[in-house]
Amino acid sequence: QGFAQADPAGESYYDSFIAAGFPAKWWDGWMLQMLDDTAGLSRVKRVTCLKKGVLGLMTFYTSHELEAAIVKAQDPATRSDTTSAFAWDEGWAFYYGNDPAGAFSAWEAAWKRDGDFPNGANISELIVTQFNKGLKAVRSDTYDLDAAKAARDDIYRMWVVAYLRASLKYLELAEKNYDEKAHAEGYAYFLPIIGLVHAKSPEASNKMQEALDITKTSIAPGTYCAAKAVVEAAYPAMGLSCESVGAFKDAAITSCPCTGSKGNLTEGVGPVAAVSGTATDVTCVPTTTGAPQETPATSGAPAGSAVAAGGLGARA
């Protein structure tokens, strides 16, 4: 719950949600509504929202670590592997998780959508190169503030692609043959990018929120194509294209294909040396006294390790 109650005002990702009308610490209130059954939703919708919402929450906290790393790197006293680079690397750890293959993580959600949209950008691989680029940029020997900010922004843009693919996929499925679980998945997958989309196109953000309104009990015919058209019109503003997002390979509604915009996302850099930190992690391993067990650790997972250790290969 501590993650959900964080209020990192001044960070671009978080601030985009505040600008879109969300209250401070909104993840906490949203999750409590789902847990306490005060949202007036069915159990299927609440459980599905919570499962996918956790991925959104981890995405949010990943953004906090990236933003914190950039701030720390601007001060020569905290521009080091043990501080700025460590923070950036923690961001990767939150995004990829502790499973060697990235199972059940926000990264895995992007990997799955790559399979659903095979003619679009391969986000699960491209995003690793941007994490590497940012890590390199916040280290003392290779410090580059502009490169760090560019990597952060490219990561956010790739999140938009991954979560937009998911929200459009499940909106389409829910319209074609209404199903509460599909509806809830589309709704919950759009949550982590509402602020980012709103910052570039309030109309697109509002249209998708209206289309996926979780209180609906059906999706009216034409909703998917209408929402998709507004979103696609905003692709240039978001730095996206029909080519980068791609098309759902199992589309049930084929009357509104994306046409016109071209251009793809940029690649960062290859694997980089692992971060060597000196922090102490508090683990959840129980002891005989019931107290948390502290273990010295390097940071959660080097940004380059997903490739170097075979993580991506294991899931591909």
Side-chain angles (χ1 to χ4, degrees):
Q1 190 175 12
F3 285 3
Q5 292 177 337
D7 183 17
E11 297 180 356
S12 63
Y13 178 89
Y14 182 77
D15 286 353
S16 72
F17 285 85
I18 303 302
F22 282 67
K25 308 177 185 180
W26 70 273
W27 270 116
D28 188 46
W30 181 85
M31 289 201 162
L32 287 175
Q33 267 196 319
M34 296 299 171
L35 290 168
D36 297 341
D37 194 13
T38 56
L41 303 175
S42 69
R43 178 175 175 80
V44 169
K45 283 187 174 180
R46 289 190 298 109
V47 170
T48 303
C49 283
L50 284 166
K51 286 181 176 179
K52 306 309 176 185
V54 167
L55 302 181
L57 177 59
M58 297 309 292
T59 300
F60 156 60
Y61 215 76
T62 296
S63 78
H64 167 61
E65 294 293 351
L66 302 187
E67 304 257 5
I70 291 173
V71 171
K72 291 172 181 177
Q74 292 180 65
D75 182 351
T78 51
R79 186 188 304 153
S80 65
D81 263 24
T82 57
T83 309
S84 57
F86 191 89
W88 186 278
D89 212 34
E90 282 189 311
W92 170 254
F94 286 129
Y95 183 64
Y96 191 78
N98 67 349
D99 183 87
F104 310 112
S105 67
W107 173 87
E108 187 187 47
W111 174 77
K112 288 181 176 180
R113 299 297 79 79
D114 286 342
D116 286 334
F117 292 73
N119 66 335
N122 191 325
I123 298 300
S124 60
E125 291 189 4
L126 275 176
I127 205 166
V128 176
T129 70
Q130 291 297 342
F131 270 97
N132 289 338
K133 177 181 175 179
L135 176 57
K136 180 180 178 181
V138 298
R139 301 176 107 161
S140 58
D141 291 344
T142 49
Y143 177 61
D144 186 331
L145 178 60
D146 290 340
K149 290 181 176 179
R152 175 201 64 192
D153 292 344
D154 278 332
I155 288 167
Y156 292 174
R157 190 173 296 112
M158 291 176 189
W159 286 349
V160 171
V161 172
Y163 286 122
L164 185 58
R165 285 171 172 173
S167 55
L168 286 171
K169 167 187 173 178
Y170 288 108
L171 174 60
E172 177 187 349
L173 294 177
E175 178 182 323
K176 186 67 175 180
N177 185 20
Y178 187 74
D179 175 79
E180 285 193 326
K181 184 175 183 294
H183 182 185
E185 288 198 72
Y187 162 78
Y189 274 130
F190 192 62
L191 282 175
I193 58 170
I194 287 176
L196 297 176
V197 174
H198 181 273
K200 302 299 183 181
S201 173
E203 183 183 7
S205 176
N206 293 338
K207 191 68 173 179
M208 283 297 291
Q209 290 181 74
E210 175 189 328
L212 290 162
D213 181 354
I214 195 60
T215 64
K216 290 180 178 180
T217 55
S218 65
I219 305 296
T223 299
Y224 165 72
C225 282
K228 184 170 178 283
V230 174
V231 169
E232 289 169 354
Y235 278 176
M238 292 190 283
L240 305 180
S241 66
C242 296
E243 185 178 4
S244 57
V245 176
F248 180 32
K249 65 181 178 65
D250 296 321
I253 300 174
T254 58
S255 57
C256 50
C258 187
T259 59
S261 62
K262 292 187 178 295
N264 226 317
L265 301 170
T266 58
E267 188 171 356
V269 302
V272 295
V275 169
S276 177
T278 57
T280 298
D281 288 344
V282 177
T283 73
C284 293
V285 179
T287 65
T288 54
T289 61
Q293 184 178 24
E294 294 190 358
T295 55
T298 58
S299 68
S305 67
V307 175
L312 288 173
R315 302 293 296 169

